[in-house]
Amino acid sequence: MQLEYFRMIDRVVSVDDGSIAAEAVVPEASPVLEGHFPGHPLVPGVLLLETMAQASGYLLLARLGFSRMAFLIGNKELKLRRFVRPGERLSVTARLVHEGSGYAVTDAAITGEGKRICEVREMKFSLADFPAPELAAAMRAQAERIGLAP
């Protein structure tokens, strides 16, 4: 994880047509953790949601052959079950629930040490053309870096 750059996924473990498994390691030190909270660093819950959104997004990019971008537009239910501290290794999964008519829906979860940390139901994405060629190139490069070949 590079929290300050919103690069949440470190490695894709597996991907198929309907699901993805990935890993993320929370850094020991980050400016984000220095402010959240001094003396008691915790990963902000919104960044855990972002981690699940990114795993879902990579699943959708792979399904779409990197022809379109997945933009998060909402979710139905988020449960945060416990705090995440620096140095933790996280397992992130996402599963396709629906795709069609220009949008997609996934369910996603994060576990650590075999225990559920958080999950989100009905995460919704708008599927749209890349608004800039630089974004398409950056997404392909990032996907390759984490082991998801475009």
Side-chain angles (χ1 to χ4, degrees):
M1 280 183 163
Q2 292 178 303
L3 299 177
E4 56 276 8
Y5 294 103
F6 277 72
R7 291 183 182 160
M8 311 309 284
I9 303 296
D10 292 319
R11 182 172 80 90
V12 171
V13 176
S14 65
V15 65
D16 61 34
D17 198 42
S19 65
I20 191 169
E23 289 182 346
V25 179
V26 179
E28 290 290 340
S30 166
V32 171
L33 298 174
E34 290 171 16
H36 195 270
F37 297 99
H40 186 67
L42 300 172
V43 176
V46 69
L47 293 184
L48 296 173
L49 178 63
E50 176 68 18
T51 302
M52 293 183 287
Q54 287 187 20
S56 295
Y58 285 123
L59 168 62
L60 295 168
L61 281 169
R63 272 183 68 81
L64 298 168
F66 288 79
S67 64
R68 303 182 87 198
M69 182 70 182
F71 293 96
L72 180 64
I73 58 173
N75 65 272
K76 185 169 186 174
E77 182 178 341
L78 170 67
K79 290 184 182 176
L80 301 169
R81 298 184 180 278
R82 74 166 178 85
F83 297 126
V84 175
R85 307 219 9 115
E88 285 197 54
R89 179 175 300 277
L90 307 176
S91 296
V92 188
T93 58
R95 176 182 67 80
L96 182 67
V97 174
H98 172 81
E99 179 189 350
S101 301
Y103 78 100
V105 179
T106 65
D107 289 343
I110 298 176
T111 59
E113 299 177 5
K115 295 181 181 175
R116 183 84 37 128
I117 293 170
C118 57
E119 66 259 0
V120 62
R121 288 188 43 238
E122 295 186 27
M123 185 172 274
K124 296 175 184 159
F125 296 85
S126 173
L127 304 177
D129 292 336
F130 283 97
E134 297 86 359
L135 177 57
M139 292 307 299
R140 284 183 176 85
Q142 179 67 2
E144 188 173 322
R145 185 187 71 75
I146 64 173
L148 181 64

